[in-house]
Structure formats: C-alpha cells, structure tokens
Amino acid sequence: EEADPAAIVGLQFAVSGNHKGVRASGAKGVCLKGSFAPAPDAASLSKAPQFAKTVPVTARFSMGGGNPKISDKTKATTRGFAMRMADPAGDMTFVIISAPVFSTKTPAQLEEFLKVRVPGPDGKPDAEKIKAFAAQNPETGRQAAWLNARPVPASFAGTDYWAVHAYTLTNAKGDKTVAKLKFVAADKAGLSDEELKAKPDSFYADELKERLAKGPARFDLVAILAQPGDPTADVTATWPEEERKTRTLGTLAITAIEPDATCDAATFDPVVDLPDGIAGPADDPMFAIRSPAYAVSLSRRSN
Ligand code: HEM
C-alpha cells in the first residue's frame, strides 16, 4: 500500500498541534555555518567533490517533532542535524539524527505510527491505541528505547548523529562501497538527572553561542562499512557498529550561528541533493519519500 507524503506531513503537523510557520519536524532549531575538510584518503572511497577539497557548509541543529516550544530536556526525542556541504558540481546534503535508527521501517507504518498519536478532543492521544500499535510493531519502539537508555545530550554539539540509511560510495575507478555514515562529536557530553533538573527548557541555543565564541564544534564523518547480510533497506535495524571496519572521511567544523532565514528559505533535501560519488539506498522506501515530504512541509510553512 502506497503512503502519501502529504498525508504523512499532515499527520506530523497534527500530532504536534498544528503550529504555523514551522517545520513538520525539527520545528525548534538553530541555523549555523561552518566548513567540511575531507580526510586524505576519502577520495579513494568517493569521487564526490566534497571529498577532494574543503567546502563551506550551511547547517541546522534541531529538536525532533513539529512543536517549536518543545523542551530541550526531552529525552525520548532525537536531536537533529541538517547540513548542506556546498559545491558548484552538486551539494552534498545530510539530514541526520542523534540515534542509529529511525522509528519506522516503511512510509505506511509511519502513517499508522502518527495516526495513533494524533490528540483527541481532550488534547491527548489515546494511550490504548498507542500501546496496541507498539505491540503489533515492536521495531517502532527501538528508537525511543535507545534514547531512553542514554543521558540527554548537554549540547547539540555533545552527541553523535547518524544518517541511518545505507549509502553507496563510488570512487573515480567505479569501485563501490556500502556504508552507514556517522558524525562523531569531538566533545561528547550528557547531563545527569541532577544536572538536567537544574536546566531551563531552552538552553541549547545559548550553550551553542557560548561554545562557538570559544572555537568551532567539530564532528568526524565516519563511514561504517557494510558486511554481507547487513540490512540496507531497514532504518529500524542497527548494524553491530563496533564489529565493523570504519574509515574517517573528514571533519566538519561548525563555526558560527546564522540568521534563521538562511536555513528557512529552502529545505535540506537529503535525497535529491547529493553529488556524483554518493547515493542513497534505492530499495529503502523511507529514503525516497523524504524528498516530497520535505517539499510539502516547506510549502505549508512558507504559506
Ligand atoms: C528516515 C530517517 C529520517 C531522518 C534521520 C530525519 C530527520 C529529520 C531532521 C533532522 C529534520 C530537520 C531538518 C531541518 O532542520 O531543516 C527533518 C525534517 C523533516 N522530516 Fe525527517 N527524517 C527522516 C525521515 C523522514 C520521513 C520518512 C518523513 C516523511 C515521510 C520525514 C518528514 C520530515 C519533514 C516533513 C520535515 C520538515 C522539512 C522542512 O520543513 O524543511 N522525515 N527530518
């Protein structure tokens, strides 16, 4: 059964209270700039221009969901990281989260996942419906379980981010490598329950301002190489990362905060905006649908 991107985006807005002028997800966030410097041997894996020279980056950190007032202290919600590494021959765009898995495996399952979460007339979703859906779709609980088992990040720059889909890298000779991509924070830090209690609902934006005044926030881009049998079309499934070979492809440095307008005029489209040398998974239905869904959200928030 085909899921309709507009229907999914409508449900994303409905679940979080139909706020106007904001993204269907990542509604609360901070726009940024920086640069990406490739590692010396990145070009041996991919011929993308971003792996051959340092390029400028526009980026945005965000909280998951369509509520622009969500507390930064929320635990079972992913932090998001969108970035466009610019090059005239083709931008390289990643829109990634602070967990190795997404919540659903197919667009149809995402539609059902959202439907049971739409608040009723009393302003609350039906807890019984959510429970019944979770029991029938156990893989949809993995992301929340993963987040609940870890401390709340002390900073948008204090956590790793995963691109969750399996990408194919192609080098100049035509050799292909399948890999998941992870941005590893140089300065990882979580908050204890005690520390979390002392924080206000919004502290990430100020923390970032103070941090960037002292120097860039850095992330290494690491490719986790697939082994035969690793699932490449299921974003609810993890690979045993610790057992996989990895290659560092470069370092992202976030240097300064940008006006919101720089990030809001367009979407970060992780499907269409990739250069030659890197491609998303053709057989992962959750990948393809992101492009039309993000376009629907853009048209709704800018009208
Ligand atoms: C599968 C892995 C996915 C990840 C890692 C992910 C992550 C994110 C992140 C980080 C943002 C914030 C972007 C920004 O700051 O501009 C975002 C926005 C959004 N996501 Fe996803 N997402 C995923 C899948 C999906 C799917 C399957 C849909 C719908 C079918 C969807 C719908 C949206 C929409 C509508 C927005 C708002 C776009 C905009 O207004 O610019 N996402 N997503």
Side-chain angles (χ1 to χ4, degrees):
E1 178 195 341
E2 287 284 295
D4 169 22
I8 292 176
V9 175
L11 286 163
Q12 287 179 308
F13 278 117
V15 165
S16 44
N18 284 313
H19 294 278
K20 298 274 172 256
V22 298
R23 287 166 175 73
S25 184
K28 182 183 189 183
V30 185
C31 187
L32 309 151
K33 70 174 171 187
S35 62
F36 177 76
D41 72 339
S44 70
L45 287 177
S46 167
K47 65 183 172 189
Q50 288 82 353
F51 294 128
K53 61 169 195 272
T54 298
V55 297
V57 175
T58 303
R60 186 171 179 272
F61 285 127
S62 60
M63 293 293 293
N67 177 4
K69 298 201 176 104
I70 186 174
S71 171
D72 295 349
K73 295 156 74 159
T74 310
K75 195 162 199 180
T77 293
T78 49
R79 278 68 188 155
F81 196 4
M83 68 189 78
R84 187 179 300 117
M85 303 176 177
D87 187 84
D91 293 346
M92 185 157 73
T93 303
F94 297 115
V95 182
I96 63 182
I97 49 174
S98 62
V101 288
F102 195 69
S103 49
T104 60
K105 186 175 170 165
T106 64
Q109 189 181 46
L110 177 57
E111 196 168 338
E112 295 307 311
F113 179 93
L114 292 166
K115 256 184 206 159
V116 298
R117 284 168 171 75
V118 174
D122 63 347
K124 289 186 194 129
D126 183 336
E128 287 307 313
K129 273 195 200 162
I130 293 179
K131 228 164 116 187
F133 176 83
Q136 280 166 9
N137 300 269
E139 67 278 12
T140 63
R142 283 184 201 147
Q143 185 188 77
W146 194 94
L147 292 165
N148 280 325
R150 286 163 179 81
V152 165
S155 163
F156 272 137
T159 176
D160 297 341
Y161 291 84
W162 284 259
V164 305
H165 305 282
Y167 286 82
T168 300
L169 306 172
T170 306
N171 69 14
K173 287 187 288 187
D175 304 326
K176 294 190 187 301
T177 306
V178 175
K180 287 206 179 185
L181 303 177
K182 178 177 176 180
F183 284 80
V184 177
D187 187 15
K188 231 170 291 187
L191 295 171
S192 68
D193 290 346
E194 205 76 334
E195 290 168 323
L196 191 64
K197 243 180 248 161
K199 293 284 185 194
D201 280 325
S202 291
F203 63 95
Y204 281 155
D206 288 340
E207 193 277 344
L208 209 53
K209 221 176 274 172
E210 284 167 31
R211 174 184 292 265
L212 298 179
K214 290 180 222 145
R218 291 183 205 281
F219 295 83
D220 279 342
L221 172 53
V222 174
I224 301 158
L225 310 188
Q227 284 199 359
D230 284 340
T232 56
D234 180 357
V235 284
T236 66
T238 50
W239 297 355
E241 271 180 30
E242 279 71 42
E243 295 162 29
R244 292 290 171 269
K245 287 191 180 128
T246 61
R247 296 277 291 276
T248 299
L249 298 180
T251 301
L252 173 67
I254 296 297
T255 53
I257 291 173
E258 277 281 304
D260 286 344
T262 304
C263 286
D264 293 351
T267 58
F268 295 87
D269 186 327
V271 181
V272 171
D273 289 338
L274 290 175
D276 279 353
I278 179 167
D283 54 347
D284 174 354
M286 291 296 285
F287 186 68
I289 198 169
R290 294 178 70 182
S291 183
Y294 289 32
V296 170
S297 174
L298 175 66
S299 76
R300 274 191 52 163
R301 65 181 156 87
S302 45
N303 281 319

